[in-house]
């Protein structure tokens, strides 16, 4: 019989490169392939499987809600949707929520919200300033917000209204604001861009700039939200709130669900402005409610802060023994091991052979994003595997 790779090649649109293993089962931080090999999953669905695989609270919510009601139209009230909205409002200090299905869709909606706000509240302004090396999604508008030419160029004409500035540079941001600007849209840590953690003064200064010039601050917390950085939301490392925040990835713990949150000032959607068939359905929001309650009730963000320090300290220690290691970037359990050379892909492959799944977020940076429930032993084991992998790559050259 043909291999799964051959079958894929004949029927599946090639939009990315596959790692040559087929995963069939997961439990906690571990996953197994179809040959029975076990791996530590330090990709976690790209910061999505935040409670690990097959978490009992998720399985219970999946079982109970699927027997009760999976989907009905948003023309009806449903309970899990409103309970999840109440919990997110309570935890974020923002006021209103809209649910959808993916990160790109949440950002697309946030962009519509910002444009409507600009039209109504700021003399018809419509431009949104985003950062270089950002990632906001793959729809036509969010790929334009992302500003990466490789992702954009084949798909023109693209929507207008985006301006790009270097990340973590408040002067560049100030200089880019015009009468046409309505919003600034940023990640609190750039995830796909290489785990770029800004100077602690940057985001508070952006908030102050938005207040001074009457702009909306839109934070894309799709990768940083839901406990990943050691706080429930990345902005909670600081003493301010955004006007708009988007969530996806970890919100459903692996079940597709996303959200736009806004404060009263920014929540300008009215009946007819926006909509979705699947978004906010009872099934997805019941699972997200169980995931979010678990993260909040078990105080997982505080544990993430400790575990993040532990793994980052151990990775930093590799600088002494592994000449290839240049340093570590990270916040909580969103971590990148930075290398002097562009050998991250080789290190990732060597780690996979030794039972650790991680990915190269830059040619010289290996990203580690385990489930938030990862144990100290698993963190230590991952660092050991990385050390052995660095040694193997060094000797093979
Ligand atoms: C993954 C990601 C997105 C896009 O989410 P999708 O669900 O893949 O559409 C947007 N912004 C950030 C910061 C992300 O990490």
């Amino acid at each position: 019989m043909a291999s799964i790779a051959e079958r894929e090649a004949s029927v599946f649109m090639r939009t990315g490169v596959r790692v040559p293993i087929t995963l069939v089962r997961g439990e906690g931080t571990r996953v197994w392939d179809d040959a029975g090999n076990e791996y530590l999953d330090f990709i976690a669905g790209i910061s999505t499987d935040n409670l690990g695989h097959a978490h009992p609270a998720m399985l219970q919510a999946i079982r109970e809600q699927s027997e009760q009601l999976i989907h009905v139209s948003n023309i009806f009230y449903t309970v899990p949707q409103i309970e999840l909205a109440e919990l997110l409002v309570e935890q974020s200090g923002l006021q209103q929520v809209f649910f959808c299905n993916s990160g790109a869709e949440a950002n697309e909606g946030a962009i519509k919200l910002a444009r409507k706000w600009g039209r109504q509240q700021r003399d018809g302004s419509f431009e949104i300033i985003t950062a270089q090396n950002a990632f906001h999604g793959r729809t036509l508008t969010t790929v334009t917000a992302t500003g990466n030419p490789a992702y954009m160029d084949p798909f023109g004409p693209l929507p207008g209204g985006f301006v790009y500035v270097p990340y973590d540079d408040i002067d560049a941001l100030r200089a880019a604001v015009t009468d046409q600007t309505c919003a600034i849209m940023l990640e609190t840590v750039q995830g796909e861009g290489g785990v770029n953690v800004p100077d602690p003064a940057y985001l508070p200064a952006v908030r102050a700039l938005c207040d001074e010039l009457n702009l909306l601050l839109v934070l894309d917390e799709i990768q940083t939200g839901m406990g990943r950085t050691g706080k429930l939301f990345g902005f909670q490392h600081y003493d301010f709130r955004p006007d708009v925040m988007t969530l996806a990835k970890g919100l459903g713990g692996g079940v597709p669900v996303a959200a736009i949150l806004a404060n009263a000032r920014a929540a300008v959607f009215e009946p007819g402005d926006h909509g979705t068939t699947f978004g906010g359905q009872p099934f997805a929001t019941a699972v997200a409610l169980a995931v979010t309650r678990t993260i909040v009730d078990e105080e997982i963000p505080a544990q993430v802060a400790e575990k993040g320090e532990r793994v980052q300290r151990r990775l930093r220690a590799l600088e002494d023994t592994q000449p290839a290691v240049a340093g570590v970037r990270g916040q909580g359990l969103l971590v990148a091991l930075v290398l002097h050379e562009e050998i991250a892909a080789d290190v990732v492959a060597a780690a996979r052979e030794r039972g650790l799944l991680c990915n190269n977020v830059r040619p010289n940076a290996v990203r580690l994003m385990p489930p938030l429930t990862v144990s100290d032993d698993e963190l230590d084991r991952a660092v050991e595997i990385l050390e052995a992998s660095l040694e193997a790559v060094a000797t093979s050259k």
Side-chain angles (χ1 to χ4, degrees), residues 8 11 15 22 35 37 45 51 76 93 128 137 141 183 205 207 221 234 268 271 283 300 318 352 366 391 395:
E8 190 246 24
V11 297
T15 60
T22 303
N37 298 307
L51 295 182
F76 302 105
I128 299 178
T141 308
R207 173 73 269 180
E221 294 240 23
V268 293
F283 179 75
I300 286 179
L318 295 180
R352 186 172 68 246
V366 176
E391 260 157 28
T395 48

Side-chain angles (χ1 to χ4, degrees), residues 66-348:
S66 65
E67 286 173 359
Q68 202 74 39
L69 187 66
I70 290 179
H71 181 87
V72 289
S73 169
N74 272 318
I75 65 175
F76 302 105
Y77 293 105
T78 51
V79 177
Q81 176 181 97
I82 303 308
E83 289 188 343
L84 179 61
E86 286 170 345
L87 182 57
L88 291 174
V89 161
E90 174 198 301
Q91 292 296 321
S92 67
L94 297 176
Q95 269 99 39
Q96 291 191 10
V97 183
F98 178 88
F99 290 116
C100 48
N101 308 288
S102 70
E105 195 188 347
N107 284 338
E108 187 90 18
I111 291 164
K112 284 176 70 177
L113 191 69
R115 286 201 180 170
K116 182 168 185 201
W117 180 86
R119 180 174 290 246
Q120 278 188 346
Q121 312 287 324
R122 203 176 180 277
D123 299 330
S125 66
F126 58 88
E127 259 175 22
I128 299 178
I129 303 174
T130 64
Q132 291 159 7
N133 287 317
F135 186 78
H136 298 300
R138 300 288 204 147
T139 63
L140 281 174
T141 308
T142 58
V143 87
T144 309
T146 293
N148 179 336
Y151 295 169
M152 291 158 68
D153 288 350
F155 306 112
L158 296 165
F162 290 91
V163 173
Y164 315 108
V165 295
Y167 190 63
D168 201 13
D169 181 341
I170 189 68
D171 297 329
L173 201 48
R174 179 178 283 277
V177 176
T178 70
D179 288 347
Q180 301 206 306
T181 312
C182 67
I184 296 170
M185 180 170 176
L186 297 169
E187 297 154 86
T188 60
V189 174
Q190 288 189 324
E192 299 307 299
V195 188
N196 305 318
V197 183
D199 185 276
Y202 176 61
L203 291 169
V206 176
R207 173 73 269 180
L209 185 70
C210 288
D211 292 340
E212 178 194 333
L213 301 177
N214 188 30
L215 304 169
L216 291 186
L217 175 57
V218 180
L219 290 183
D220 175 346
E221 294 240 23
I222 288 164
Q223 190 158 147
T224 52
M226 307 317 295
R228 172 60 52 188
T229 67
K231 300 277 185 189
L232 187 60
F233 306 114
F235 75 81
Q236 292 172 332
H237 288 280
Y238 308 95
D239 191 20
F240 72 85
R241 291 191 192 111
D243 299 296
V244 180
M245 170 172 70
T246 53
L247 299 172
K249 293 204 162 95
L251 179 59
V255 169
V257 51
I260 309 166
L261 282 82
N263 63 15
R265 168 178 182 241
V268 293
F269 278 158
E270 296 164 293
D273 278 344
H274 201 47
T276 165
T277 297
F278 286 124
Q281 61 159 221
F283 179 75
T285 50
V287 179
L289 182 63
V291 170
T292 308
R293 277 205 181 124
T294 301
I295 290 174
V296 170
D297 292 351
E298 296 184 5
E299 299 182 8
I300 286 179
Q303 299 168 31
V304 168
E306 278 177 26
K307 289 174 191 168
E309 269 177 38
R310 179 189 185 93
V311 71
Q312 290 185 47
R313 190 173 60 240
R314 299 219 156 192
L315 289 170
R316 252 182 221 107
L318 295 180
E319 281 180 58
D320 301 333
T321 58
Q322 301 298 320
V325 174
V328 177
R329 289 195 292 261
Q331 194 175 52
L333 287 172
L334 175 51
V335 179
L337 178 69
V338 186
L339 307 170
H340 284 299
E341 292 166 68
E342 302 202 334
I343 53 166
D346 300 333
V347 174
V348 165

